[in-house]
Amino acid sequence: MGELSGTVAIVTGSSSGIGERTAQRLSELGAAVVVNSSSSVAAGEAVAAALPGESLYVQADISDHDQCRRLLDATVERFGHLDLLVNNAGWTTLVPHHDLDALTDEIFRKTMEVNVFGTWALTKMAMPLLR
């Protein structure tokens, strides 16, 4: 029994890197963990399968409100509740500082949609479950 036993956590952007390690640690502490990615399905499924505790993988792009809702619905359907939301998902692309013309409106818009608006939307949708 870990200190997070009985809790359920979603970790967005957890198919690799910091999100993957966060999912692993939460699972080690006893939480059921929902692993999420927008496109790295095989990697996300592998992370979820490797966790020591209960887990679920849900592919969802947090910049899409319908996919945010599906992520939350799948979590509640499987585990019955949600206790923790780790907003780790993020998107970026390398634009050299000396070439700011390469920072297109499309790149800027996608960055804001995922990193700011998507994070906000998912948090707002999850609040009734987290209260």
Side-chain angles (χ1 to χ4, degrees):
M1 297 291 283
E3 63 189 85
L4 294 180
S5 190
T7 64
V8 176
I10 294 174
V11 183
T12 65
S14 52
S15 64
S16 64
I18 293 169
E20 177 181 7
R21 184 62 190 115
T22 301
Q24 288 171 346
R25 185 64 182 142
L26 289 170
S27 185
E28 290 165 1
L29 291 172
V33 178
V34 179
V35 174
N36 160 260
S37 68
S38 65
S39 59
S40 305
V41 175
E45 289 172 340
V47 169
L51 295 179
E54 285 189 87
S55 65
L56 172 68
Y57 171 75
V58 179
Q59 183 278 329
D61 180 343
I62 67 162
S63 69
D64 181 305
H65 289 195
D66 291 336
Q67 292 185 44
C68 286
R69 176 58 48 207
R70 187 171 48 75
L71 173 60
L72 294 169
D73 289 347
T75 300
V76 172
E77 180 180 319
R78 172 72 179 274
F79 298 111
H81 64 282
L82 175 64
D83 302 291
L84 302 166
L85 173 60
V86 179
N87 285 306
N88 177 72
W91 185 86
T92 191
T93 189
L94 179 62
V95 175
H97 290 169
H98 69 275
D99 186 17
L100 288 181
D101 289 334
L103 179 59
T104 65
D105 291 346
E106 292 77 24
I107 291 170
F108 188 78
R109 188 171 291 111
K110 182 174 180 176
T111 303
M112 296 301 286
E113 286 295 328
V114 174
N115 299 357
V116 177
F117 300 121
T119 296
W120 168 246
L122 180 59
T123 301
K124 191 171 171 183
M125 286 181 207
M127 284 309 298
L129 298 170
L130 295 169
R131 286 193 170 116

